[in-house]
Structure formats: C-alpha cells, structure tokens
Amino acid sequence: MGRSEEPVRPYGTLVRGLRTAAAVLLTGLAATACGAPAGHPEDDPPVDARNPEARAAIARYRGAPAQALAYAAWRESRAYGKRLATARRWGLADAPLMRPPAPAVKPRLTTEPGFEANDGAPDLPPVITKVPTTDRVIFLTIDDGNRKDPELIRMMSELDIPYSAFLSDFLAREDYGYFHRMRDAGVTLNNHTINHPNLRLMSYEAQRAEICGQQSRLEKEFGTAPRLFRPPFGNYNGDSLRAAKSCGVEVVPLWQEEAFADHWDYRRGSRHFEPGDIVLIHFRGRDEWPGEMPDVVRLVLKKANEEGFALARLEDYI
Ligand SMILES: [Zn+2]
C-alpha cells in the first residue's frame, strides 16, 4: 500500500502554532510579574476549546481579540510547560504530541487484503493491522503479560499515554492484581489466549478452549469480556475467527510495527508510521532483552514525535 498523499494536519502542529502565537503576543501585552496577562488569576483551569465555560470566557473578550488569543495561548503555554517537565522526568527530550479528540463515529472495519482466512465464512471479526483514519495517530498495544513493571503504569499515567494490553492467562495469572491496577488506570485488557499456542496447528474445539477460555477468564477477573482478540504470533485461520466470534470477539487487531528494546520490525516496506498504525511491544524486561519496559516506550514516543504522531486509544477508534 502506498502512503496517503492526502494532506493531514498534525494536531501537534496546531498546538505548536498556538505556542508561537503566545510568545509573540505576550511580548506585546502588559503582563504581571508571573507572566500572566493582567487580571487573570494563576489558578484558572486550562483553556479547552471544547469546554463551554472556556468558550464563554473567551467570548467575553470579543472586543479585544488579541488579548483573548494571548490569554488562551498563555494558558496553553503553561500547560505545555508542565507536560514538558513530566516528559523530561521520564527521560524524553520533548512532551509527547497531544492526541486529537476521539472520533464521533468509529471507522467501519473490514479485513485487510492478505489477511482473509479464505474459507468463505461470512461476518467473521475483521483482521486489521491499522485503523482506517486520517488522524495523525498511532496505537500502542502490549502483549503477553510476563513482566509486571509498576514503572510502566506510573510512566503512562503521568505522561497521559493510552495503550491496550493483550493478556495470555498462563503469564498474567501469577499477578492479576498488577493488571487490575492497569485497568483502574483506564487501560483495556484484551484476549491473547490461555496458553499462547500456535492456533493454526489446532482443531476448532482446541482453539475454542484457548480463545473462549480466556474470554471467560478475563470476564471473571475483570467483570467484562474483551471485544478484541489477538492470536499469538499473529497466526490464525478460519476456525480461530469462528471460535472468537462465538464468544463475543468483535475485532482481531494485529500490528504494523513492532518495537524491541534495541530495534524495530516493520511489516510494510516503509520504515515510517502511517495514520492509524497499530504498534506492538511486549511485557518483557531485562531478564529477556536489553531494556526495561519504559526504555521500549521511550523508543516509541521518540519516533512518534519525530514523525509527528500522537498516541491515541485503540478502543476510541475500533
Ligand atoms: Zn504474544
């Protein structure tokens, strides 16, 4: 597939533009010692254009549009300063780009060419490696569940980075408490089978035990059965999709790029992200490869910033 030529405005560019406007306009305005335009207390909530109260506050400046813009830009600049400080604490050079609002309507999904299970069965869950969207976003997914690194949950919460987990019971079960904390932080926990087998080598009934067994396991543990299922190694056939459908799976997200502690694997020829790409990393630590989970996340965030992408929540789009 060729790269889309459609012009797509990176959300981060808008934010950076606003910051530049702040710098220019603030120098031309009377400001208090703390840098705020006169007359506004420091502890106001940050301006969010979607927030009706913020819109009303800005509207009150109708007679002085430059001041209103300067005020909004100053607020944005302060918010960015906080995000930058957090990013630097986690070893990043810049703050991750802000994601756009979730789409009002989720894109319609169909199995991508080359990923059909080829047995003619209708209405099976679609198999995808990217989400059809023009938003400059990618989606981070984390597989298996072996390493349970508390730093990961803290890092992602502080940086406000969404991600989705795909759990195999035989690795996750020794401490589901860790994944409860992850779920409480807003992460969706999805199905990656009970024992992480190569499903293509198994009968329908055996596959059903692996896939639907993990649906039940996760529902019992967390109260809801997952909507998303990822086959181990990306290996599946028509029986896998039929079994998954029989126990409530709606989508089978694979991945485009995979990040390791020291290198990347790319599914397509291009070494660049495209809008909607699904990125895979693993719950692994130094006992398995040369880095901890925050090291791998830093690789992903650095590449995303360099290429102008924000990380968005997969379940907001599919
Ligand atoms: Zn796996």
Side-chain angles (χ1 to χ4, degrees):
M1 269 174 287
R3 301 196 64 195
S4 165
E5 295 305 316
E6 189 176 339
V8 182
R9 274 192 73 117
Y11 192 65
T13 305
L14 293 173
V15 171
R16 275 197 296 271
L18 199 53
R19 285 208 301 273
T20 310
V24 171
L25 282 165
L26 280 176
T27 50
L29 287 173
T32 63
C34 65
H40 302 290
E42 269 256 50
D43 55 357
D44 283 358
V47 166
D48 176 343
R50 287 168 297 165
N51 178 331
E53 282 179 29
R55 276 209 302 273
I58 290 172
R60 283 199 293 276
Y61 283 91
R62 217 171 268 150
Q67 253 193 357
L69 178 58
Y71 180 52
W74 170 77
R75 295 247 84 106
E76 169 55 34
S77 173
R78 280 180 75 233
Y80 170 73
K82 282 183 187 167
R83 293 204 311 277
L84 179 62
T86 306
R88 296 224 164 120
R89 259 205 322 280
W90 285 103
L92 296 163
D94 200 356
L97 294 178
M98 287 174 73
R99 59 187 174 278
V105 179
K106 293 180 180 182
R108 220 179 84 81
L109 301 177
T110 52
T111 292
E112 292 171 18
F115 292 88
E116 303 90 346
N118 276 334
D119 62 355
D123 302 328
L124 294 176
V127 182
I128 60 169
T129 63
K130 58 181 287 189
V131 174
T133 177
T134 53
D135 290 352
R136 298 280 296 183
V137 294
I138 57 170
F139 304 96
L140 183 63
T141 59
I142 313 183
D143 278 13
D144 298 351
N146 187 20
R147 180 94 171 96
K148 299 161 189 72
D149 186 347
E151 285 286 277
L152 174 80
I153 300 181
R154 215 158 60 79
M155 176 187 200
M156 303 304 252
S157 295
E158 289 185 12
L159 291 170
D160 185 27
I161 301 293
Y163 58 105
S164 307
F166 290 80
L167 303 180
S168 275
D169 180 67
F170 90 107
L171 293 169
R173 71 169 69 117
E174 67 176 12
D175 183 11
Y176 268 121
Y178 173 79
F179 298 101
H180 273 275
R181 290 196 292 284
M182 188 167 275
R183 199 271 312 267
D184 292 347
V187 177
T188 305
L189 306 171
N190 300 294
N191 187 336
H192 197 46
T193 71
I194 297 274
N195 293 300
H196 207 278
N198 181 353
L199 294 172
R200 269 203 292 236
L201 304 177
M202 301 171 72
S203 69
Y204 174 80
E205 280 310 322
Q207 291 201 42
R208 204 169 179 281
E210 280 289 342
I211 299 166
C212 298
Q214 182 66 341
Q215 288 289 100
S216 308
R217 185 75 190 84
L218 292 175
E219 181 172 14
K220 191 166 162 231
E221 191 66 42
F222 300 104
T224 44
R227 293 173 46 244
L228 310 184
F229 159 66
R230 173 176 283 162
F233 318 106
N235 285 348
Y236 61 96
N237 58 20
D239 281 344
S240 328
L241 303 182
R242 266 192 297 277
K245 186 186 176 183
S246 78
C247 49
V249 169
E250 293 171 20
V251 185
V252 176
L254 303 181
W255 60 93
Q256 267 295 335
E257 293 88 7
E258 181 171 2
F260 299 86
D262 51 1
H263 72 282
W264 284 84
D265 271 0
Y266 302 91
R267 200 185 278 276
R268 67 168 84 85
S270 155
R271 298 170 69 85
H272 297 288
F273 291 139
E274 290 183 10
D277 275 0
I278 299 170
V279 176
L280 166 62
I281 69 173
H282 285 88
F283 287 100
R284 285 183 198 155
R286 253 183 222 291
D287 51 334
E288 292 185 83
W289 60 17
E292 289 297 346
M293 298 190 70
D295 298 320
V296 184
V297 170
R298 271 188 282 275
L299 275 188
V300 176
L301 295 178
K302 181 167 176 286
K303 183 174 168 66
N305 262 23
E306 283 168 359
E307 298 186 12
F309 284 86
L311 274 73
R313 196 168 168 272
L314 185 60
E315 293 79 7
D316 284 344
Y317 282 76
I318 69 176

